[in-house]
Amino acid sequence: KLNVPKKTKLFVDQTLRERENATLMHRVFQHDLYQLRLKTARCYVSALETSANPVSSDPDEPIKISAQVLGLGPMFRLSVGLTNTSLNNPSRNLIISFYADDNIYKIDKALIFVPMLVPGLNYNFETLVEV
């Protein structure tokens, strides 16, 4: 059997406050959630308008890039996704380079030679990073 502590006065007061103000508390929560969604939408539109999106601005090499950090701690994996968004022109002779402070990070593959990117397909490239 577990020894459950007695309810403290603070717990009882908080429970009573929540019970008395449940509608107001829910309304405030909904308002804050609405504000968060609005701010997210505004930032997304701003990113689109300022071209702060992960798509190349070079018309000869229309490439979409995405990056993910997989893992926490002293060792993690960097995953880079590339997609050629051209209609029918493959991309060739590309290199992914990673640059970081050598005193802090050790990158397993600092250069990745990218094979020909066929339009419309997603390609993923990974490297290990050690702190």
Side-chain angles (χ1 to χ4, degrees):
K1 183 176 175 181
L2 292 174
N3 292 330
V4 180
K6 293 182 178 179
K7 294 179 184 175
T8 64
K9 178 157 175 40
L10 178 65
F11 175 79
V12 174
D13 291 345
Q14 182 69 19
T15 305
L16 289 174
R17 188 181 75 82
E18 289 177 6
R19 195 175 296 152
E20 292 170 358
N21 300 314
T23 306
L24 177 63
M25 291 174 84
H26 181 69
R27 195 174 299 135
V28 168
F29 169 77
Q30 290 293 337
H31 180 264
D32 290 346
L33 184 61
Y34 169 76
Q35 291 292 335
L36 177 65
R37 288 178 178 161
L38 180 63
K39 185 171 183 173
T40 303
R42 284 181 177 161
C43 288
Y44 179 69
V45 168
S46 174
L48 290 176
E49 288 174 349
T50 61
S51 297
N53 53 12
V55 178
S56 171
S57 60
D58 184 2
D60 296 331
E61 295 290 343
I63 295 175
K64 180 180 177 184
I65 185 169
S66 64
Q68 288 183 318
V69 177
L70 306 171
L72 297 171
M75 184 174 278
F76 56 91
R77 185 178 305 273
L78 264 174
S79 177
V80 177
L82 295 177
T83 305
N84 182 349
T85 58
S86 170
L87 295 177
N88 53 10
N89 295 331
S91 295
R92 296 183 177 100
N93 302 322
L94 298 175
I95 298 173
I96 300 172
S97 66
F98 299 98
Y99 177 75
D101 187 352
D102 293 337
N103 296 325
I104 301 173
Y105 299 104
K106 180 185 173 214
I107 300 174
D108 187 37
K109 293 184 279 185
L111 287 177
I112 299 175
F113 293 92
V114 178
M116 180 176 72
L117 297 179
V118 177
L121 296 179
N122 294 325
Y123 295 86
N124 289 316
F125 303 93
E126 295 183 344
T127 187
L128 286 174
V129 180
E130 191 173 346
V131 180

